Amino acid sequence: MKKLILLAAAAALAGGAYTAQAAPVTYVPALGGNIGYSYNSAADGIHNMYLEFSPLNRLVVGAEYRDWINRDNETDVYAKYRLGHMYLGLGNRDYNDHGSKTFGLVEGMTNLADRLDAYAGLKVSSVEYEAKVGVLYDLAPSFDLDINYTYYDRDDVSNEDGVGIGVNYRF
C-alpha cells in the first residue's frame, strides 16, 4: 500500500503542469457517504463538487462536477471497490467539450496521526491521466479539511497542476 502512495505521489510531482480537482480519498462505510466542495489554483481556478455513497459494504458510487473557470466543465460518474486501505474502480468522464471517456482508478489512504490522514490517487483513460496527493484533517466529527496537490495531463491541451483546499462532510 505504501508503494501505491509513493507511486502516485511520484507521478504527481514528476510532471509539468490542466489539473482536475478530484474528490479526496476517504473511507466510506456501508450506507454512509461524503459530500464536499473544493477549489484548486490550477489554470484560472477550478470549483469542484462531489458526492459519494456506499450502498453495500466495500462498494462506493460517486459523481463529481468540475467547473473550470474560463474553460469547459467536466462530470465524472464512477464506482470503486475497497480492498483494505485501497480502492480500485472504473468511471466515465464527460468532457462537455468533446465527448466522454472511460477511466480506471486506483486510490489509497493511511492514517498519519490522531486526526490526520494522507491519501493518493491515480485516474487513467485513453486521453489523460490525473494524479493527486493530499491530507485530510478532522475538523469535527463529521467535517474534514482537505489540502492537496493535483497534476493533470491530457493529450490535446497543455498540462496543469495546482494546490487545492476543500471541506468534506461525512454522513
Side-chain angles (χ1 to χ4, degrees), residues 24-26 110 112 115-120 132-138 144-149 164-166 168:
V25 180
T26 60
T110 189
L112 296 178
R115 295 168 40 181
L116 186 66
D117 295 323
Y119 67 89
K132 182 175 184 173
V133 293
V135 293
L136 292 169
Y137 180 74
D138 290 337
D144 294 324
L145 175 67
D146 175 24
I147 300 172
N148 60 71
Y149 169 81
I165 186 165
N168 309 301

Side-chain angles (χ1 to χ4, degrees), residues 25-41:
V25 180
T26 60
Y27 171 72
V28 183
L31 300 178
N34 293 324
I35 188 167
Y37 166 82
S38 60
Y39 177 81
N40 191 286
S41 65

Side-chain angles (χ1 to χ4, degrees), residues 4-64:
L4 170 68
I5 291 174
L6 291 174
L7 177 65
L13 297 174
Y18 194 47
T19 182
Q21 176 72 7
V25 180
T26 60
Y27 171 72
V28 183
L31 300 178
N34 293 324
I35 188 167
Y37 166 82
S38 60
Y39 177 81
N40 191 286
S41 65
D44 294 328
I46 305 166
H47 296 282
N48 181 66
M49 293 164 280
Y50 81 97
L51 172 65
E52 292 183 333
F53 179 72
S54 178
L56 302 168
N57 191 27
R58 299 181 182 262
L59 177 67
V60 176
V61 294
E64 288 183 60

Side-chain angles (χ1 to χ4, degrees), residues 8 10-16 18-20 93 95 103-104 121-132 150-155 159-160:
L13 297 174
Y18 194 47
T19 182
R93 177 167 287 173
Y95 291 97
F103 62 83
L122 182 64
K123 290 181 182 176
V124 178
S125 75
S126 62
V127 297
E128 70 176 304
Y129 76 88
E130 173 188 317
K132 182 175 184 173
T150 310
Y151 172 77
Y152 182 89
D153 182 345
R154 188 187 297 172
D155 290 346
N159 302 335
E160 298 277 354

